[in-house]
Amino acid sequence: MTNSSASSPRSHASSTATDAPLRVAVLIGSTREGRFAPVVADWFLRFAAQYDDLELDPVDLAEHPLPDVVSPAAHPEAAEVTERLAAADAFVVITPEYNHSFPAPLKNAIDLHYTQWQAKPVGFVSYGGLAGGLRAVEQLRLVFAELHAVTVRDTVSFHNAWENFAEDGSLLRPEVPEGAGKAMLDQLGWWGRTLRAGRAHAPYGER
């Protein structure tokens, strides 16, 4: 888990009144039966909801099975996810680590799309055993770089994840994950607004 001093989330009071909230699609990448992902996702969504300048859109891939195809264009079952990714200004990917990598349904969801990721930032919340899912995150950075997305430096990672949460889903030791979460969201917010302004000035790839 990235070390960072914990502090309460800020509301970016310096933003102008005309700034729209940053639309953040939160991808929940595990679809396995008995998965731990909902526990991690529920915590993150509660934590991120404290930022009044973020508009969160949780996209649970277990609830949206996607076709294994090259393009979603001819597949109406993919349309909702495609539209939500396209509307997002930024992404947070919640992923476990499977065999030193990330889940196949997450890779399929990423590969099924292209322009939806371009010139947008991506943050990560990972979980697993001793490595805390960080090896999955490092591989995802390579994938998103190929898709012209920008991954933020700081992450939230839960090592031996099941030992971090109480039965009600609350954190047993919140200081470090909350500090890491603040650092990640602050970076995501800066990149998200900067890139949104850039895309508004000129579509990505055009000069």
Side-chain angles (χ1 to χ4, degrees):
M1 190 174 298
T2 303
N3 289 326
S4 178
S5 58
S7 60
S8 61
R10 60 186 175 84
S11 62
H12 298 280
S14 60
S15 298
T16 67
T18 58
D19 283 347
L22 195 72
R23 295 167 296 186
V24 180
V26 180
L27 273 73
I28 303 168
S30 174
T31 63
R32 283 184 175 180
E33 184 178 353
R35 62 194 177 137
F36 195 70
V39 176
V40 179
D42 288 348
W43 166 78
F44 175 75
L45 290 167
R46 289 195 304 271
F47 175 77
Q50 298 176 80
Y51 284 74
D52 57 14
D53 54 356
L54 300 181
E55 183 180 297
L56 304 172
D57 180 18
V59 181
D60 190 343
L61 295 182
E63 298 177 0
H64 299 280
L66 296 175
D68 184 13
V69 295
V70 175
S71 171
H75 295 268
E77 65 269 36
E80 180 183 345
V81 171
T82 300
E83 291 172 1
R84 290 163 72 179
L85 296 181
D89 299 308
F91 306 99
V92 172
V93 175
I94 299 177
T95 183
E97 181 178 315
Y98 295 163
N99 301 318
H100 287 214
S101 188
F102 49 94
L106 176 57
K107 184 64 162 64
N108 184 50
I110 294 170
D111 289 347
L112 192 60
H113 301 92
Y114 185 63
T115 58
Q116 292 81 6
W117 309 114
Q118 288 185 338
K120 298 178 183 179
V122 184
F124 299 102
V125 177
S126 67
Y127 62 95
L130 290 176
L134 289 176
R135 291 173 292 206
V137 169
E138 291 309 304
Q139 293 194 30
L140 282 166
R141 291 188 189 279
L142 299 175
V143 173
F144 279 112
E146 181 65 17
L147 295 168
H148 300 252
V150 177
T151 60
V152 302
R153 187 266 182 193
D154 283 25
T155 65
V156 183
S157 60
F158 290 100
H159 305 259
N160 295 322
W162 45 91
E163 298 177 0
N164 287 266
F165 294 87
E167 289 187 4
D168 64 357
S170 63
L171 286 174
L172 296 173
R173 297 171 294 278
E175 294 81 7
V176 174
E178 288 183 355
K182 178 185 184 303
M184 186 267 283
L185 287 175
D186 284 349
Q187 293 169 17
L188 192 78
W190 189 93
W191 279 105
R193 287 175 177 78
T194 300
L195 292 172
R196 180 169 66 183
R199 295 194 309 274
H201 177 72
Y204 180 73
E206 293 185 6
R207 293 191 290 178

